[in-house]
Amino acid sequence: MGYLVNRLIMTVITLFVILTVTFTMFRLMPGDPSVFFISPQMSTETIARIKAQFGLDQPIHKQFTNYLGSILHGNFGHSFFYKRPVLEVIGERLLNTIVLFLPAAIISYLVGVGLGRYMAWKRGGTSERVLIFTGLSFWTFFVPWLGLLMIWVLSYKFGLFPVGGMITPDKWLPGSTLLGRALDLLHHLVSPLVCYVLTWFAGNMLIMRNSMLETIGEDYILTVRAKGLSERKIRNKHAARNAILPVVTAFSMSIAYSIGGCVLLETVFSWPGIGRTMVDSVLLRDYPLAQASFILIATVVLVANLITDILYAYLDPRIRY
Amino acid sequence: MAVLELKSLEMSYKTQEGTVRAIDGASLRVEKGDTVGIVGESGCGKTSIGLSILRLLPPNATIHGGQILFKGQNLLSLSGKDMRRIRWKNISMIFQAAMNALDPVYRVGDQLIEALVEHQNLTKKQASDKMEAVFQLVGLDPGRARNYPHEYSGGMKQRAIIAMSLICDPDIIIADEATTALDVLVQDRILASIEKIKAEFSMTMLYISHDIAVISEVCNKIAVMYAGNIVEHGDTMSLFKAPLHPYTQGLMHSFPKIHGKLERLEGIPGEPPRLTDSSPGCRFFPRCQQSLKKCNSIRPEFKEIEENHWVACHATRRSL
Amino acid sequence: MRIGTKRKFGLAHLLFKGISQEALGKIGIAIIILFGVMALVSPFVINIDPDVYDPLIGVDPLIFSSQGPTLTHPLGTDHLGRDVLSQLLKGSQIAFLVGITVGLMATLIGTAIGLISGYFRGATDSLLMRITDIILSIPSLPLLIMILCVFEHRGIWVIVMVLGLTGWPITARVIRSQTLSLRERPFVQSARVSGASDWRIILIHIAPNVLPLTFLYMTIGVTYAILTEAGLGFLGFSDPTISSWGMMLQWCFSTGHTFKALYWMIPPGLSISLLALSFYLVGYSLEREINPRLREP
Ligand SMILES: Nc1ncnc2c1ncn2[C@@H]1O[C@H](COP(=O)(O)OP(=O)(O)OP(=O)(O)O)[C@@H](O)[C@H]1O
Ligand SMILES: [Mg+2]
């Protein structure tokens, strides 16, 4: 339990740090920090009213607590561009990002672990070398470029998948079936998902391979072999089961980096997710929306980290107690 | 018929420094109810013998001669699948590195049960009853079966491993330095448990240790190993009373006599040879004080000098 | 004086061996050299005729839209008539500049923190590692975008600084665990007994032994920097006064030339991926040299 409480406290602290950094950044911004809540088109009275309402006339520490309070209540202000509460705009986008990010994370993990396990068990040989080189190449592939190449080949040349977007509006008209909608979504999801997985799996694969190689040399593997277990059971139930522990740790650490891929991919594939929203809102100087997008992206990472940490505790009895 | 018999087994490891001839002619016989001790200095190939019997050698090892007969059947000619059936069910092994011999992510009790259900068709209840029974046998509280290895002390882990080696009622247990890693007090207690179990079930064991005091306590027969060879094999009593091989003689002198007062330790001068070197003669020759001319060029045969007493030495035969 | 500092791996020896023995390492070095030559050649190409070949302001007076490869423009031109090859060569310079500077900065900080954390342990260690964890879980690309959004001025040095200051946590963790085990080794213990100061032990006895790892993580840091800077460029947040590879791809993408002008779309993306890969390959070969267990039997 100590471990999980620890992780939980760390998550809260990290969130606090992120909020503080965001707050400070927007104070450092050139010009009046009130742009943060106020759109330039408003009249002077309205501005003054809003300033008072949001406490922008108050001392900085008061402003900070107000800021924390409103964010914890889900109040991120009004979007300049959409003229709606930020949360309304962003809620759906967040979900869209998760639709892409979650399967990508899970598949990258499973593919990586599966291939790494296979490589370590069958040492040497061409298949290992080919896998390593392919894996490393994809791992360092420039994500947007891979996306563009995929669109070029799969969509532009062969017309297999849509060029971008998340849905075809025609297929989501009232009266369309759930299955039809799901298939349409899936059709749009394939390219970005494959692109994401391709650039992400290799990290897990290489760590799994290395970890497996270390594990295979452990004494308890000799014991289970002596117990007369089949090679498959030795590999899956004992060697791989122990070898995934470092992979889970490394996976957790890679999430923050990998979500950057989301921002890039969503731009390339016109996926209406939170990463693209953030990019657009920064370009449009829609500060409240940009800030909220950043905080939510960071929160997604924190939650994902926390989930992996819980999973880790579940997998490693030495941590559990 | 002997439960286990090795007939001039030869085995080597490929390394960067060359081929290590870790077992270079080892013969030995374990009858039902026997506890045979293999004793020898560190690095002489004791563990390699144990691993060869279960065919668990690392990939860089090859067995290139001799036979390993289990109840008359040559294990070396079995298919991988048949060999797998024999492991643990007929021959179980307690490994030298007991501290890490349990998988850290599973409960200790479950690891014992895993071995059991692999080889026998049992219900869950039967299996866990059996597990609890062997736990009790080795002096472990069955309530601790639900714990993970990291919650055990070193001595408890060792007991758990011994319990695991017993769980399938094997025909023979190979114990490789079963108590060496433990402190003396725990070592004594575990030895006492082993003694008790052995007496109760008339267990057959191959007991590997470099500690001749432990061997003499536990075993009724001894095989003395030197640089990959078993040089002398016979009853504990006769080996202690009248060791025939010069190396055994030196070895017996190096250890305080079990009965009677401590004598001055009388080591054997020189170093064991490197196992990568292969000379046609006796491997003990460079250190032997009783050597003959031919010892350097002709390997002495492993001969039964008197009933149930084998020696590989040219000098011994002459003195008889 | 080195008291029993047993250095298993001399750095130079290790670099040489690790890279020369592994086919992948050789490929990596070859690619790095190739791009290095491109970076060196860049000024000469621009100097042929800056009005035409300057990557940013040189416009071929005869060309008003993106055109395919010709003799004067081997890789064609962009939508304004600027030379793609010249931009690519300049981009190579920028990639090295960003990659190496960030790599050095991040590994230096990471190594220092790792050494201090691992050597002193206790409260220092806890605090430093908590900070490391926090930085590790802040998504760097979005953070950079926010920072660049706030600082209206988007100089390449701002990007380099932010990347360098946030890119060190993994190095710090690895070096810390290595230091934890090194500090228990006999040669460190004996140095301590003979009265060497903590800093002396860290610098003279421990640091040389973590150097191979530091170098390994530097190659990874370089990869990270190249890819992240390119990502920023692609999103339109990089320094607008230079023509980095990411920017080139962005120009191509945002003007809708992606599939119309492959001569323009392929080179920058390929260069980013190849250079990132090459540093990673070098790191990978080094890792196998450092940890023999990973090598083939
Ligand atoms: N996997 C291996 N690869 C290469 N050589 C090995 C390997 N395992 C053992 N050896 C060598 O084989 C010889 C016999 O080793 P073995 O482990 O059987 O000795 P041992 O008698 O059990 O020693 P100890 O009492 O120290 O356990 C030694 O010289 C050792 O160096
Ligand atoms: Mg041994």
Side-chain angles (χ1 to χ4, degrees):
Chain A
M1 269 342 268
Y3 166 80
L4 284 183
V5 171
N6 218 324
R7 298 311 306 167
L8 208 60
I9 293 173
M10 273 312 288
T11 305
V12 172
I13 294 178
T14 312
L15 188 62
F16 181 77
V17 170
I18 288 169
L19 292 178
T20 314
V21 167
T22 323
F23 178 80
T24 322
M25 266 186 338
F26 281 91
R27 302 291 123 169
L28 292 176
M29 205 165 49
D32 189 58
S34 60
V35 292
F36 182 45
F37 295 109
I38 295 160
S39 135
Q41 292 98 343
M42 294 172 181
S43 72
T44 346
E45 297 147 39
T46 331
I47 291 179
R49 193 166 49 81
I50 291 179
K51 272 194 180 185
Q53 189 186 337
F54 287 103
L56 285 173
D57 46 356
Q58 289 175 351
I60 196 100
H61 62 91
K62 195 82 183 66
Q63 285 183 34
F64 183 57
T65 43
N66 287 344
Y67 157 89
L68 283 186
S70 52
I71 282 181
L72 290 182
H73 285 99
N75 180 5
F76 289 95
H78 255 68
S79 159
F80 298 165
F81 183 76
Y82 294 95
K83 313 255 184 281
R84 284 194 289 155
V86 164
L87 204 65
E88 258 181 54
V89 179
I90 233 172
E92 187 187 316
R93 309 288 176 91
L94 181 63
L95 194 71
N96 294 348
T97 291
I98 292 174
V99 165
L100 174 60
F101 178 72
L102 193 67
I106 295 174
I107 297 174
S108 311
Y109 176 81
L110 293 179
V111 170
V113 163
L115 287 176
R117 191 180 72 178
Y118 167 82
M119 281 161 80
W121 208 246
K122 299 220 182 311
R123 289 305 309 278
T126 10
S127 68
E128 186 181 25
R129 247 168 279 150
V130 168
L131 267 177
I132 288 180
F133 189 73
T134 321
L136 286 176
S137 305
F138 278 124
W139 181 242
T140 56
F141 228 105
F142 186 43
V143 179
W145 191 57
L146 181 62
L148 291 178
L149 290 181
M150 282 182 60
I151 295 174
W152 178 46
V153 175
L154 297 178
S155 312
Y156 196 71
K157 285 266 172 229
F158 295 105
L160 292 176
F161 298 105
V163 177
M166 193 171 162
I167 53 169
T168 320
D170 292 354
K171 298 195 175 153
W172 288 64
L173 295 173
S176 57
T177 62
L178 196 63
L179 181 71
R181 290 179 182 197
L183 284 178
D184 182 51
L185 179 63
L186 205 62
H187 194 210
H188 284 80
L189 185 63
V190 172
S191 291
L193 188 67
V194 168
C195 185
Y196 214 154
V197 169
L198 279 177
T199 53
W200 197 355
F201 81 94
N204 298 317
M205 177 178 86
L206 292 172
I207 293 171
M208 180 63 181
R209 166 178 173 272
N210 294 358
S211 173
M212 256 315 248
L213 291 178
E214 306 262 340
T215 311
I216 287 171
E218 296 283 351
D219 295 322
Y220 52 80
I221 296 298
L222 186 62
T223 312
V224 290
R225 190 161 274 142
K227 288 199 311 202
L229 266 56
S230 64
E231 287 295 299
R232 201 173 54 82
K233 271 192 200 156
I234 299 167
R235 186 189 70 192
N236 297 350
K237 202 176 155 197
H238 294 277
R241 175 67 178 71
N242 278 279
I244 55 170
L245 295 174
V247 187
V248 175
T249 309
F251 181 76
S252 177
M253 289 197 283
S254 77
I255 290 173
Y257 175 72
S258 302
I259 201 121
C262 245
V263 178
L264 294 165
L265 274 179
E266 287 176 1
T267 304
V268 174
F269 287 96
S270 326
W271 189 265
I274 199 165
R276 188 166 147 239
T277 306
M278 180 176 156
V279 171
D280 290 346
S281 57
V282 167
L283 292 173
L284 290 168
R285 313 242 166 251
D286 189 344
Y287 293 119
L289 191 57
Q291 175 196 249
S293 315
F294 175 66
I295 292 175
L296 285 184
I297 290 176
T299 311
V300 168
V301 173
L302 286 182
V303 170
N305 278 340
L306 196 63
I307 293 174
T308 14
D309 289 343
I310 293 172
L311 189 73
Y312 187 90
Y314 171 76
L315 288 172
D316 189 349
R318 284 161 292 190
I319 292 285
R320 220 177 295 167
Y321 300 100
Chain B
M1 194 196 312
V3 179
L4 185 72
E5 201 173 350
L6 305 190
K7 285 190 170 164
S8 34
L9 187 67
E10 283 172 30
M11 181 238 119
S12 64
Y13 296 103
K14 265 204 189 60
T15 66
Q16 293 191 320
E17 287 84 49
T19 309
V20 178
R21 303 164 65 84
I23 309 176
D24 195 15
S27 304
L28 153 110
R29 190 134 126 209
V30 189
E31 304 282 351
K32 191 165 167 44
D34 270 354
T35 300
V36 176
I38 300 184
V39 68
E41 288 159 276
S42 183
C44 69
K46 305 181 297 292
T47 300
S48 302
I49 287 190
L51 293 178
S52 301
I53 294 170
L54 278 171
R55 285 179 40 196
L56 288 174
L57 290 163
N60 65 334
T62 30
I63 297 178
H64 37 72
Q67 289 183 314
I68 300 171
L69 300 176
F70 171 72
K71 293 184 168 168
Q73 183 182 31
N74 188 2
L75 295 183
L76 297 179
S77 60
L78 287 184
S79 72
K81 207 169 159 203
D82 290 337
M83 188 61 218
R84 219 156 49 65
R85 291 215 188 91
I86 286 190
R87 286 185 191 141
W88 224 258
K89 177 163 176 259
N90 300 105
I91 307 174
S92 67
M93 182 158 178
I94 300 166
F95 288 99
Q96 189 161 3
M99 290 312 107
N100 303 314
L102 292 167
D103 189 332
V105 302
Y106 294 108
R107 297 177 198 280
V108 176
D110 290 347
Q111 297 190 47
L112 267 69
I113 290 175
E114 183 185 36
L116 199 56
V117 296
E118 184 68 30
H119 298 288
Q120 291 168 21
N121 254 330
L122 292 178
T123 63
K124 256 200 183 128
K125 175 88 175 68
Q126 286 169 319
S128 87
D129 284 351
K130 175 81 193 187
M131 183 268 293
E132 285 180 10
V134 286
F135 252 64
Q136 252 149 7
L137 205 57
V138 298
L140 276 176
D141 173 11
R144 297 294 297 266
R146 286 185 54 77
N147 286 155
Y148 288 91
H150 71 276
E151 297 166 287
Y152 275 38
S153 71
M156 288 170 72
K157 275 188 215 166
Q158 190 64 57
R159 283 175 195 273
I161 305 260
I162 295 172
M164 184 149 85
S165 75
L166 292 167
I167 199 161
C168 291
D169 301 311
D171 299 292
I172 178 167
I173 299 176
I174 302 169
D176 187 4
E177 309 279 10
T179 60
T180 311
L182 305 168
D183 67 67
V184 186
L185 211 69
V186 184
Q187 190 171 340
D188 276 350
R189 276 198 242 134
I190 289 184
L191 278 180
S193 308
I194 292 178
E195 287 284 355
K196 199 187 84 196
I197 296 162
K198 248 177 44 187
E200 207 168 315
F201 298 91
S202 66
M203 280 297 316
T204 312
M205 280 184 102
L206 188 61
Y207 199 97
I208 298 174
S209 176
H210 64 262
D211 187 342
I212 197 157
V214 170
I215 291 273
S216 65
E217 209 173 304
V218 181
C219 305
N220 62 330
K221 286 182 185 159
I222 296 183
V224 177
M225 198 163 178
Y226 180 77
N229 297 309
I230 288 186
V231 292
E232 187 165 1
H233 180 31
D235 280 351
T236 305
M237 282 324 272
S238 54
L239 246 76
F240 266 87
K241 266 198 235 135
L244 294 176
H245 195 280
Y247 177 69
T248 319
Q249 292 165 359
L251 198 67
M252 294 303 171
H253 282 297
S254 328
F255 289 92
K257 285 273 189 306
I258 324 121
H259 307 295
K261 61 180 187 320
L262 232 81
E263 281 177 31
R264 195 176 60 85
L265 294 179
E266 193 181 310
I268 308 160
E271 290 278 314
R274 287 172 27 167
L275 297 177
T276 34
D277 308 332
S278 71
S279 81
C282 173
R283 279 193 162 178
F284 190 57
F285 169 75
R287 297 169 79 185
C288 186
Q289 284 159 340
Q290 306 168 25
S291 59
L292 311 170
K293 260 214 187 90
K294 62 175 173 180
C295 289
N296 196 17
S297 50
I298 303 167
R299 180 70 56 93
E301 241 180 287
F302 195 57
K303 274 257 167 77
E304 193 164 11
I305 297 271
E306 36 187 77
E307 209 192 341
N308 286 329
H309 194 159
W310 290 262
V311 184
C313 181
H314 296 305
T316 310
R317 212 162 309 156
R318 204 184 54 148
S319 69
L320 271 177
Chain C
M1 187 186 61
R2 288 222 168 99
I3 310 167
T5 317
K6 208 170 132 252
R7 286 183 55 189
K8 230 172 149 188
F9 310 106
L11 184 63
H13 168 75
L14 186 112
L15 289 184
F16 178 74
K17 229 182 127 188
I19 294 164
S20 64
Q21 283 193 345
E22 294 279 341
L24 293 182
K26 280 188 236 168
I27 297 176
I29 286 293
I31 300 175
I32 293 175
I33 291 176
L34 175 74
F35 282 106
V37 169
M38 283 173 56
L40 293 177
V41 163
S42 165
F44 300 105
V45 172
I46 296 172
N47 275 336
I48 295 175
D49 182 358
D51 289 340
V52 176
Y53 290 108
D54 186 283
L56 277 176
I57 50 168
V59 175
D60 194 317
L62 306 174
I63 296 174
F64 305 100
S65 63
S66 177
Q67 285 195 359
T70 56
L71 268 183
T72 39
H73 302 288
L75 290 178
T77 66
D78 71 0
H79 59 302
L80 299 174
R82 299 179 297 190
D83 186 55
V84 170
L85 179 62
S86 164
Q87 290 176 347
L88 196 73
L89 298 181
K90 185 72 189 168
S92 179
Q93 266 185 1
I94 295 159
F96 272 107
L97 184 87
V98 172
I100 306 273
T101 321
V102 171
L104 270 176
M105 218 166 120
T107 12
L108 277 181
I109 300 175
T111 306
I113 289 185
L115 283 171
I116 292 171
S117 208
Y119 184 81
F120 291 107
R121 300 190 295 191
T124 322
D125 179 33
S126 309
L127 183 69
L128 287 176
M129 282 303 114
R130 292 298 83 79
I131 294 174
T132 309
D133 284 347
I134 289 174
I135 294 186
L136 203 52
S137 55
I138 298 180
S140 53
L141 187 69
L143 178 70
L144 270 162
I145 295 174
M146 292 312 281
I147 292 176
L148 295 174
C149 152
V150 171
F151 291 103
E152 294 282 309
H153 166 74
R154 286 177 198 156
I156 191 78
W157 290 109
V158 176
I159 298 174
V160 167
M161 286 304 281
V162 177
L163 279 174
L165 289 174
T166 54
W168 52 268
I170 301 230
T171 314
R173 271 169 161 260
V174 175
I175 298 295
R176 168 183 172 270
S177 68
Q178 184 77 359
T179 308
L180 278 176
S181 89
L182 279 171
R183 79 189 294 285
E184 306 303 332
R185 298 272 179 83
F187 65 86
V188 175
Q189 301 286 5
S190 71
R192 198 172 302 144
V193 170
S194 68
S197 73
D198 288 337
W199 293 106
R200 194 184 160 76
I201 293 176
I202 291 179
L203 284 178
I204 295 193
H205 298 284
I206 297 182
N209 286 290
V210 301
L211 221 53
L213 268 183
T214 302
F215 200 85
L216 165 63
Y217 278 85
M218 196 182 124
T219 61
I220 295 174
V222 173
T223 305
Y224 159 80
I226 291 174
L227 289 174
T228 311
E229 193 275 328
L232 281 173
F234 177 76
L235 294 174
F237 294 109
S238 195
D239 191 336
T241 63
I242 54 171
S243 69
S244 69
W245 289 335
M247 300 282 271
M248 288 174 71
L249 201 57
Q250 201 252 337
W251 291 327
C252 178
F253 177 63
S254 63
T255 56
H257 284 81
T258 317
F259 309 121
K260 279 187 271 174
L262 290 180
Y263 50 86
W264 182 11
M265 184 269 247
I266 301 281
L270 187 64
S271 301
I272 297 165
S273 307
L274 274 181
L275 192 59
L277 174 66
S278 64
F279 278 98
Y280 215 88
L281 288 178
V282 170
Y284 175 80
S285 313
L286 271 181
E287 189 183 12
R288 282 159 69 92
E289 194 54 41
I290 295 170
N291 186 353
R293 267 226 231 186
L294 305 180
R295 264 176 278 155
E296 274 153 34

